[in-house]
Amino acid sequence: MLTTLNTTYTDTRAADLAWALGREPLPALATLDLELAGAKLQLRLLGASHQVLLEEERGSHCSETVACIPGSSTPLPLGVAKRVDDWEYEFAARVEVLSPGSFAGRAQELLALVSDHPHGLAGVFPGSPHAFTAMLAQRYEGQVHWRTWHAYPQDGQLVATRTRVGVRVSVPL
């Protein structure tokens, strides 16, 4: 699903992004509710980037926020591996720096991929067709995965994140 976000572009620099687990739902400009084989997932586009809410039928919850969070002291990490309730949570992020021509092509490619996908949500900010946040979710092998992209055309930066949440499996010794 592709939408134009009715807000000013406040998420203006990749370096301003912060990461947080367990935050309460923040006001969203657009949402997509998904059922993925027993998991309820809500993809949320914020004025300052994204939030994903995950709930499984057992009642476990997980909330990931990647956004410009006032007062946050947790910058966007390159990688995180944590246990959240009964889940193993893995997060990775990278920043790509692209030339203006490459950036425009990559932006169009990502927006087409996400907007045409049944588990995709993308929002374009007013003022630039290449200023966007996009999210794509899927479930396979008992794990929920999502990817996000945050585009900063003025700096030629594209922040890509990848998250995997799976039920912790205990291995007998």
Side-chain angles (χ1 to χ4, degrees):
M1 178 171 86
L2 179 62
T3 186
T4 298
L5 300 173
N6 189 18
T7 187
T8 56
Y9 186 45
T10 59
D11 179 13
T12 57
R13 291 178 344 126
D16 291 340
L17 285 177
W19 167 87
L21 267 181
R23 289 185 72 98
E24 291 297 316
L26 297 171
L29 301 172
T31 62
L32 179 63
D33 291 308
L34 301 171
E35 282 272 348
L36 300 174
K40 291 182 182 176
L41 194 65
Q42 186 177 67
L43 304 180
R44 304 168 57 83
L45 295 177
L46 312 175
S49 270
H50 89 258
Q51 188 172 50
V52 177
L53 306 177
L54 171 64
E55 180 181 344
E56 286 218 303
E57 47 197 23
R58 298 182 323 276
S60 296
H61 297 333
C62 181
S63 163
E64 173 190 279
T65 306
V66 172
C68 297
I69 304 169
S72 175
S73 60
T74 306
L76 191 63
L78 294 177
V80 174
K82 291 188 107 157
R83 184 169 181 192
V84 180
D85 291 330
D86 293 336
W87 292 335
E88 292 293 335
Y89 170 91
E90 291 181 9
F91 172 87
R94 73 178 190 286
V95 178
E96 296 176 48
V97 180
L98 303 165
S99 70
S102 295
F103 189 93
R106 183 81 170 122
Q108 289 172 342
E109 174 185 280
L110 287 169
L111 286 172
L113 169 75
V114 173
S115 62
D116 291 341
H117 196 284
H119 301 149
L121 176 63
V124 177
F125 290 90
S128 171
H130 302 132
F132 67 90
T133 299
M135 309 170 73
L136 187 62
Q138 59 186 334
R139 182 172 182 135
Y140 60 90
E141 296 180 359
Q143 299 176 337
V144 178
H145 301 253
W146 59 86
R147 297 184 66 189
T148 72
W149 298 271
H150 306 262
Y152 302 94
Q154 69 280 10
D155 297 325
Q157 293 183 323
L158 184 67
V159 178
T161 74
R162 182 183 305 257
T163 302
R164 180 193 64 80
V165 180
V167 175
R168 189 167 190 266
V169 178
S170 53
V171 178
L173 296 176

